[in-house]
Amino acid sequence: MRALRDPICAIATPLGKGAIGVVRLSGEGALEIAARVWRGKDPRRLKGGRFTLGEVVDPKTGEAIDQALLLVFRAPRSYTGEDLVEFQTHGSLAVLRRVMEVLVAEGARPAGRGEFTFRAYMNGKLDLAQAEAVADLISSRSEAAARSALRSLSGSFSIRVRKLAEEVLDL
């Protein structure tokens, strides 16, 4: 099993043509890795929830990969419960892949499918029903399915189950 605290990275937006592409980086050392591939304000010094404009660069050559926005979320107030950085680049597949390459070269590893949500679950950010709701919401094909998944993600299902469990225990 892979270590739960390794820095992981993944393209978070659908592949294809788009104006914006997002690459996420989470785990121990995420802010340090981000600082090495970022030209602009130091991500280690940014408050959580703050954007900054700069460039993603290849630290080995100094070459700019893309002008981008960087957003920092500090543990435990992030989706995963860990330090998390989002690079919001242009949506070019070539740019997104190159950002992934430099993050991996700097010590992150590509995340497995669902690994960000798994970490959120393991760090107590989501319960199992909510974690499953994330997958349901991502794969929903209708508004009704999306609404249902969103209700579960918000915790409504978990709250009902918890209340029923309490009633059973009281009996």
Side-chain angles (χ1 to χ4, degrees):
M1 185 172 153
R2 293 180 167 167
L4 286 177
R5 300 210 180 277
D6 287 353
I8 57 172
C9 57
I11 298 170
T13 47
L15 300 179
K17 289 185 181 182
I20 303 295
V22 176
V23 177
R24 284 188 174 160
L25 171 67
S26 184
E28 273 185 21
L31 293 171
E32 289 74 19
I33 292 170
R36 291 195 297 270
V37 303
W38 186 252
R39 188 179 305 147
K41 289 185 181 174
D42 188 337
R44 296 169 295 192
R45 296 184 184 192
L46 291 176
K47 292 182 180 179
R50 301 293 170 109
F51 281 94
T52 187
L53 179 65
E55 291 179 324
V56 182
V57 299
D58 181 335
K60 293 188 180 20
T61 65
E63 177 187 9
I65 296 168
D66 194 14
Q67 186 177 56
L69 292 173
L70 179 136
L71 177 59
V72 169
F73 296 93
R74 298 228 173 236
R77 294 181 174 180
S78 73
Y79 179 73
T80 59
E82 307 167 326
D83 285 338
L84 188 143
V85 178
E86 283 190 0
F87 297 90
Q88 298 187 9
T89 67
H90 292 94
S92 159
L93 184 56
V95 167
L96 294 169
R97 285 185 175 153
R98 187 73 184 109
V99 172
M100 285 290 294
E101 286 174 10
V102 298
L103 293 175
V104 169
E106 291 300 312
R109 66 173 169 78
R113 184 180 174 117
E115 191 168 0
F116 282 83
T117 299
F118 178 71
R119 286 184 179 203
Y121 168 73
M122 293 302 291
N123 290 323
K125 303 300 285 183
L126 301 172
D127 63 28
L128 186 56
Q130 289 171 309
E132 290 175 349
V134 170
D136 292 343
L137 186 56
I138 291 168
S139 64
S140 62
R141 294 186 172 267
S142 69
E143 286 184 42
R147 277 194 302 273
S148 176
L150 189 57
R151 279 193 302 275
S152 291
L153 181 57
S154 72
S156 65
F157 178 74
S158 299
I159 291 167
R160 286 197 323 243
V161 168
R162 215 173 295 123
K163 285 181 181 177
L164 286 171
E166 288 171 6
E167 290 176 16
V168 169
L169 287 173
D170 286 344
L171 288 175

